Amino acid sequence: GQIVGIHQRPGDLSLNVCKKKAATNVRSNKEQTVLLDTPLEYSLDDCIEYIQEDELVEVTPASVRMCKNPKLAKKGR
């Protein structure tokens, strides 16, 4: 339920960030190093401005996290 990225189109994508994407294309057999962008550091104010109606901001002494509200999450995904 944690928010891990920004999608260009409306709607949410459910994904498992721990699972590797399957390389099924013939040209993708080469071993490639993927360079990830550094994570964006949002302040509490930035998080509150960013979230949608079905999202929450979790605040702990160590971090500020954005996540989906499990009570408002759509069933059947």
Side-chain angles (χ1 to χ4, degrees), residues 20-65:
K20 185 177 178 182
K21 182 178 177 184
T24 57
N25 193 348
V26 175
R27 291 176 276 171
S28 65
N29 289 335
K30 296 179 183 177
E31 193 67 33
Q32 296 179 356
T33 304
V34 176
L35 298 175
L36 299 175
D37 295 335
T38 56
L40 300 174
E41 296 291 329
Y42 285 117
S43 67
L44 179 60
D45 293 331
D46 293 335
C47 290
I48 291 172
E49 289 179 16
Y50 179 81
I51 62 171
Q52 304 285 324
E53 293 177 0
D54 62 340
E55 298 170 348
L56 299 173
V57 176
E58 294 179 350
V59 180
T60 63
S63 64
V64 176
R65 290 185 293 266

